[in-house]
Amino acid sequence: MSEPMIAIQGLTKRFSTADGRKHLAIDDVNVEVAEGEFVSILGPSGCGKSTLLYMVGGFVAPSAGAITVQGRPVTGPGPDRGPVFQEFALFPWKTVLENVMYGLRQQGVSKAEAEARARALLDMVHLKDFADFYPKELSGGMRQRVAIARTLAYQPQILLMDEPFGALDAHTRTVLQNELLGIWERDRKTVLFVTHGVDEAVFLSDRVVVMTRAPGRIKKVVEIDLPRPRVRAELLVNRRYQEYIVELEQLIEDVHLEAAGA
Amino acid sequence: MKSALRKLGPAASTVLSLGALLVLWEILARLAQIDGFPPATEALVQVPLILGERESLASIGASLWRMFLGGALALCFAVPVGLAMGRNKRIAQALNPVLTAAYPIPKAALMPIIMLWFGVGDLSKVLVIFLGVSLPLIYHSFHGAHAVDEKLLWSAMAMGMKPVARLFKVVLPSALPDVLLGCRVGLAMALIVMISSEMIARQSGAGDLLFNALDMALYGDVYAMIVILAAIGFVLDWVFERVRRRLVHWAESRQDAMVPGGGV
Ligand SMILES: Nc1ncnc2c1ncn2[C@@H]1O[C@H](COP(=O)(O)OP(=O)(O)O)[C@@H](O)[C@H]1O
Ligand SMILES: [Mg+2]
């Protein structure tokens, strides 16, 4: 196998708490993600999933350990890694179209070309008619579609998604999971996807990394060997899918029990 | 028809409450029969007379010009300082105590000291307006820059935006609703300080007109000046509010309700 897209070695993060103590958020995490792979980080809230993702994004510096992307050490954010946040983080003073064009303009793409590409992406996420709307005029699901389009626009090799559908209602979440999977199955970007939803992780991923809490360590890595393209209705009656769900639910339950016992 | 009425709503209620105030003033003054409290009608007839005089118009114009200069200087100075404080902990820690101490000081009370340094002319008055406007502006800009969503900055960083560009393209627009709120407070403050500075350094200006009339016991003129100043404040605020809405129409509406300026 060639060099991994993302290599995380001995990654550790300590935060100083308000009372001056050190809180070990991430402890000695080792993961490799291959090019084109869809990997989920699954764990209960507070186990350090976001912190892990932010460190890969270069937004937060590790306390120890190393992260390399395509063999180059991560020293800060870069357009090779496109983040999608749970809170959407759209620029509220820009229209939908301007938001999606922003990264391209930032990289020196001409206005005409940036607009053409942005419009194509908006079409893909079914927001063609909302190009001139402002974020505040959109629903949560629409905002997250814009955010995904904005990140896809500057063509990062890696998508870093932090519970992107966590703030949405169940129905919208399902719709967006399907859309994301559709997009991904077409161009097979490398995706690191943080979630606390077992179904979501199994439905989307090639591999699921289960984390423990306080400190955040890797409990187990589960390979999801299910055929693609995946169709939800078919998976629900798929025996192997059900077994993955049960296995991961069990692991998450263990994590909770360990945390309670500790 | 109905929508036309509704459109009239706020304007009509403004006219109504101002009318009620005038009626109340008229009645109270007629009842009280005090020299220093003329009825509304006696004061209001002076308004066109004052505004018809070239000299008093020039005086009011000079006041507004100084107010504009002080405000413009404050804008250039206070917004960058506030934004810097909001983005940099060290700067905030260094300046915060100064701000906290300076905030409750009545700026017009500094007028005599400033006059010692810069004389009784325009410079002192512009400076004291500048001080009065700067504090609320720094405070609100600081608050706005401090509250900038980190993820917006991260998104911009991931797109490859450099630090200086982020300051202008992310921090400034993010903080704009707060900055403009500070401007509105600053506007009220500027009017207050403008008049009080002219009350202390009597030389020219709307405040000078007002206190001259008071010295000469021309109470109708005094109240007419107060009405004129109130009208100026009202118009400026109305214009500013329209501009503000235009600039931040994209913002999620928070409590848009306004606070009047704090201490003088
Ligand atoms: N900036 C920070 N300062 C201090 N502690 C933090 C900070 N960010 C996260 N933490 C702590 O690190 C732990 C993991 O947080 P996070 O990565 O947000 O978890 P998750 O995304 O899995 O819910 C939590 O205990 C949280 O309180
Ligand atoms: Mg999180």
Side-chain angles (χ1 to χ4, degrees):
Chain A
M1 199 184 90
S2 61
E3 177 178 61
M5 192 69 172
I6 307 171
I8 300 171
Q9 282 155 3
L11 191 67
T12 299
K13 180 69 188 178
R14 279 180 217 90
F15 287 111
S16 353
T17 54
D19 51 6
R21 282 179 303 126
K22 294 276 181 193
H23 171 72
L24 188 57
I26 298 276
D27 186 28
D28 191 25
V29 163
N30 299 279
V31 187
E32 287 192 355
V33 181
E35 182 172 358
E37 199 180 11
F38 197 124
V39 174
S40 286
I41 312 279
L42 178 69
S45 131
C47 73
K49 306 182 294 295
S50 296
T51 305
L52 177 60
L53 201 76
Y54 297 163
M55 288 193 285
V56 178
F59 308 121
V60 169
S63 306
I67 304 168
T68 56
V69 167
Q70 292 181 304
R72 287 187 304 273
V74 168
T75 53
D80 54 337
R81 286 149 290 142
V84 176
F85 300 107
Q86 180 172 0
E87 311 85 347
F88 323 133
L90 295 172
F91 302 118
W93 55 88
K94 299 235 164 244
T95 63
V96 164
L97 182 68
E98 290 167 343
N99 262 284
V100 179
M101 286 170 63
Y102 213 63
L104 290 168
R105 295 290 289 145
Q106 206 52 46
Q107 275 154 30
V109 175
S110 78
K111 194 164 181 191
E113 195 191 332
E115 181 171 340
R117 274 159 73 176
R119 286 197 188 275
L121 278 163
L122 286 177
D123 199 8
M124 185 178 82
V125 296
H126 313 297
L127 287 175
K128 185 166 68 167
D129 299 333
F130 294 88
D132 298 325
F133 282 53
Y134 283 87
K136 76 160 180 182
E137 297 165 323
L138 304 182
S139 70
M142 292 159 96
R143 290 184 204 197
Q144 197 56 295
R145 284 193 177 97
V146 177
I148 291 171
R150 179 181 69 174
T151 300
L152 290 175
Y154 54 88
Q155 298 177 320
Q157 281 106 314
I158 300 169
L159 284 182
L160 300 173
M161 309 186 89
D162 188 12
E163 304 201 34
F165 310 140
L168 308 178
D169 64 81
H171 170 71
T172 310
R173 188 181 312 141
T174 314
V175 171
L176 283 194
Q177 284 167 0
N178 289 332
E179 284 183 17
L180 175 65
L181 210 54
I183 292 167
W184 181 80
E185 279 167 353
R186 253 177 287 149
D187 69 358
R188 298 267 172 165
K189 278 187 192 308
T190 309
V191 180
L192 198 54
F193 188 99
V194 160
T195 179
H196 63 255
V198 167
D199 323 357
E200 184 170 75
V202 176
F203 179 55
L204 297 172
S205 315
D206 296 321
R207 269 191 305 152
V208 177
V209 177
V210 183
M211 286 188 68
T212 63
R213 186 157 60 178
R217 291 196 183 113
I218 293 182
K219 181 163 179 70
K220 190 165 183 198
V221 179
V222 179
E223 206 62 62
I224 308 295
D225 187 12
L226 291 170
R228 293 184 188 269
R230 292 181 185 167
V231 179
R232 192 180 306 269
E234 289 171 10
L235 285 181
L236 289 175
V237 294
N238 179 319
R239 190 57 197 256
R240 214 143 20 117
Y241 173 81
Q242 294 162 353
E243 283 166 5
Y244 285 130
I245 298 275
V246 172
E247 179 183 0
L248 287 169
E249 289 286 1
Q250 194 62 55
L251 283 167
I252 291 291
E253 188 138 323
D254 292 349
V255 168
H256 274 292
L257 290 176
E258 284 159 21
Chain B
M1 184 64 203
K2 203 165 181 185
S3 73
L5 268 178
R6 199 171 294 158
K7 224 173 182 178
L8 213 69
S13 72
T14 304
V15 169
L16 223 68
S17 68
L18 285 179
L21 185 69
L22 288 179
V23 171
L24 192 69
W25 171 6
E26 183 76 19
I27 294 171
L28 285 180
R30 299 254 175 227
L31 288 176
Q33 299 262 354
I34 306 171
D35 269 356
F37 188 28
T41 42
E42 272 173 43
L44 289 180
V45 293
Q46 300 298 326
V47 170
L49 297 181
I50 293 175
L51 293 181
E53 265 178 57
R54 191 172 261 283
E55 249 174 73
S56 44
L57 267 188
S59 247
I60 294 171
S63 289
L64 291 177
W65 174 241
R66 286 191 291 265
M67 184 180 128
F68 170 78
L69 280 182
L73 278 178
L75 208 58
C76 298
F77 166 77
V79 175
V81 168
L83 294 182
M85 284 175 70
R87 295 315 306 165
N88 185 312
K89 234 186 197 154
R90 287 225 189 104
I91 298 179
Q93 279 166 351
L95 295 184
N96 231 336
V98 183
L99 266 191
T100 313
Y103 214 109
I105 297 176
K107 302 313 163 291
L110 299 175
M111 195 60 194
I113 301 170
I114 291 178
M115 275 159 55
L116 281 182
W117 299 346
F118 301 106
V120 293
D122 282 357
L123 183 57
S124 296
K125 289 170 192 158
V126 169
L127 268 179
V128 83
I129 292 169
F130 161 78
L131 283 178
V133 177
S134 284
L135 285 171
L137 208 43
I138 290 177
Y139 177 80
H140 285 277
S141 305
F142 166 44
H143 187 269
H146 189 70
V148 172
D149 181 0
E150 200 172 38
K151 309 267 160 67
L152 289 186
L153 288 165
W154 289 1
S155 299
M157 285 162 100
M159 292 172 183
M161 201 187 285
K162 298 283 173 285
V164 178
R166 288 201 298 271
L167 204 59
F168 287 100
K169 293 182 174 174
V170 182
V171 174
L172 185 59
S174 283
L176 196 60
D178 283 292
V179 170
L180 292 178
L181 200 64
C183 287
R184 199 169 172 203
V185 177
L187 188 63
M189 192 63 87
L191 267 171
I192 296 169
V193 177
M194 171 186 98
I195 298 299
S196 4
S197 73
E198 290 162 357
M199 181 174 95
I200 294 162
R202 297 272 292 274
Q203 201 191 28
S204 78
D208 183 48
L209 285 180
L210 199 162
F211 291 100
N212 273 340
L214 197 61
D215 288 346
M216 295 187 282
L218 298 171
Y219 297 116
D221 284 11
V222 171
Y223 281 80
M225 272 314 293
I226 291 174
V227 169
I228 289 169
L229 289 173
I232 289 173
F234 192 89
V235 169
L236 287 178
D237 188 67
W238 184 82
V239 170
F240 181 81
E241 188 54 13
R242 309 217 84 188
V243 174
R244 189 187 73 85
R245 292 231 177 115
R246 218 153 217 257
L247 288 174
V248 296
H249 65 92
W250 47 263
E252 308 265 359
S253 58
R254 296 172 297 179
Q255 275 82 43
D256 252 332
M258 244 310 298
V259 268
V264 178

